[in-house]
Amino acid sequence: MSAAIPTLDIRRYDTDRDAFVAELGAAYREWGFAGIRGHGISSELIDGAYERFKAFFALPAETKMKYHLAGTGGARGYTPFGVETAKDSKYPDLKEFWHVGREIPRDSRFADVMPPNLWPVEIAGFRDYGYGLYTALDQLGSRVLRALALHIDLPETFFEDKTDYGNSILRPIHYPPITAPDVPNVRAGAHEDINFITLLVGASAAGLEVKSRTGEWVPFTSESDTIVVNIGDMLQRLTNHVYPSTTHRVVNPPGDLARKPRYSVPFFLHPNPDVVLDPLASCITRDNPSRYSTSITSHEYLMERLREIKLA
């Protein structure tokens, strides 16, 4: 019998803070994953965003390709089917996706690495719902980071000036129906996320699996009111692996369900591009000495990893 990945109500951060922080921190130390409910993001916003993302992916290929910016690594706009490839995988992932980034002033010091968004004119409400969901998940991510900061003896607001201009991405994904006679098992290869934390909202079908510390693949299909939040490699590095970035994948369900499309919308919460990812002093101990001897900024780290997965 597999251990279950915990789901916690984030409203307890305001009513039972010490216990909530302890339970959430323990979940992340063990799994690198947790479910968050009580988040306050309306089903109308989530459902409305999904409807518009599905409508975009249903457009003709030539229409979608108008929004593909070749040579940009898919930083904004559309990335077609079969481009992204999990690190060390022989085969590209079976998906197409769209990227929404942070809206920043074009005279910002980060403007050269955070380009303006594209918005498909064919889908009414895409921008309002897409950026509305981006903003809501960004705010929820900040709340999760406050609890994670307290768990490792940092000030509650430690992450706020490190993520207020974060190069974060909302990524609506479409995994098309598998039509080949032989259905491959994996739609998105086993991988760890690059960023600080990832918030996954309203996956439309089963398929997410998380690798436990014993090497077992544990399914994690959340309830409709739950957002799955996991640790990425940048936060793993910053916390000297106190918070582990756990390997996960998306598999095909058995039988005819594999012939159906799958949609998901992860939000990748990134630090500001100039944040240095050196391990924090509070996370370095005799039993857990510093694992990194060189410094790197979050933007340098991001570009290094995007090259590995063939997006740069």
Side-chain angles (χ1 to χ4, degrees):
M1 186 73 176
S2 299
I5 299 169
T7 294
L8 300 172
D9 191 322
I10 199 168
R11 289 172 293 194
R12 291 177 54 221
Y13 185 77
D14 297 319
T15 61
D16 190 17
R17 180 164 300 183
D18 290 348
F20 175 79
V21 166
E23 291 172 29
L24 188 72
Y28 282 119
R29 285 174 182 261
E30 173 65 24
W31 289 101
F33 270 78
I36 300 293
R37 63 173 181 264
H39 46 74
I41 301 176
S42 73
S43 58
E44 192 278 330
L45 175 58
I46 294 170
D47 294 346
Y50 261 89
E51 287 172 15
R52 283 149 183 89
F53 300 153
K54 289 179 181 179
F56 173 79
F57 289 124
L59 292 172
E62 59 269 24
T63 303
K64 291 184 286 189
M65 286 301 290
K66 293 193 307 182
Y67 300 101
H68 175 57
L69 301 178
T72 66
R76 300 291 184 270
Y78 174 67
T79 295
F81 179 77
V83 173
E84 184 176 359
T85 305
K87 183 181 177 183
D88 301 326
S89 175
K90 295 179 181 178
Y91 306 105
D93 290 344
L94 305 175
K95 65 187 180 189
E96 57 180 344
F97 55 88
W98 181 277
H99 274 178
V100 177
R102 186 179 302 281
E103 299 273 0
I104 61 172
R106 297 325 302 166
D107 60 355
S108 165
R109 69 186 189 278
F110 299 131
D112 59 329
V113 297
M114 294 168 64
N117 281 307
L118 294 179
W119 302 108
V121 298
E122 293 83 2
I123 308 299
F126 189 105
R127 178 173 188 162
D128 290 344
Y129 277 90
Y131 204 69
L133 187 57
Y134 182 107
T135 302
L137 291 169
D138 194 36
Q139 293 169 349
L140 176 61
S142 293
R143 292 167 66 193
V144 173
L145 287 174
R146 287 181 203 134
L148 293 181
L150 289 174
H151 185 70
I152 53 175
D153 300 321
L154 295 171
E156 177 187 20
T157 59
F158 176 81
F159 288 106
E160 293 190 2
D161 66 353
K162 298 167 184 65
T163 57
D164 54 348
Y165 284 93
N167 192 10
S168 302
I169 292 291
L170 184 74
R171 176 190 278 189
I173 304 172
H174 172 220
Y175 301 92
I178 305 300
T179 57
D182 298 320
V183 176
N185 183 48
V186 177
R187 273 175 159 163
H191 66 284
E192 301 82 41
D193 293 343
I194 299 171
N195 41 291
F196 259 6
I197 58 175
T198 300
L199 298 89
L200 179 65
V201 56
S204 66
L208 175 64
E209 293 187 344
V210 178
K211 195 172 188 179
S212 74
R213 289 180 181 243
T214 61
E216 179 185 11
W217 286 105
V218 178
F220 192 12
T221 302
S222 60
E223 298 297 323
S224 60
D225 64 344
T226 298
I227 291 176
V228 179
V229 185
N230 66 276
I231 306 296
D233 287 348
M234 290 186 187
L235 191 59
Q236 173 179 261
R237 193 184 199 280
L238 191 71
T239 63
N240 203 35
H241 293 232
V242 170
Y243 292 134
S245 177
T246 304
T247 304
H248 53 287
R249 66 186 183 184
V250 177
V251 300
N252 277 308
D256 289 342
L257 291 176
R259 305 291 183 183
K260 296 183 178 180
R262 183 180 190 273
Y263 299 90
S264 68
V265 182
F267 177 77
F268 301 110
L269 192 153
H270 280 259
N272 301 352
D274 58 357
V275 168
V276 178
L277 301 174
D278 289 351
L280 299 166
S282 64
C283 296
I284 298 172
T285 64
R286 180 179 298 176
D287 294 333
N288 187 32
S290 178
R291 299 166 187 252
Y292 300 94
S293 58
T294 58
S295 291
I296 191 169
T297 67
S298 66
H299 182 68
E300 291 166 342
Y301 189 89
L302 174 63
M303 296 311 295
E304 187 177 281
R305 290 291 300 278
L306 290 179
R307 285 190 288 271
E308 291 175 350
I309 61 173
K310 299 180 173 60
L311 284 181

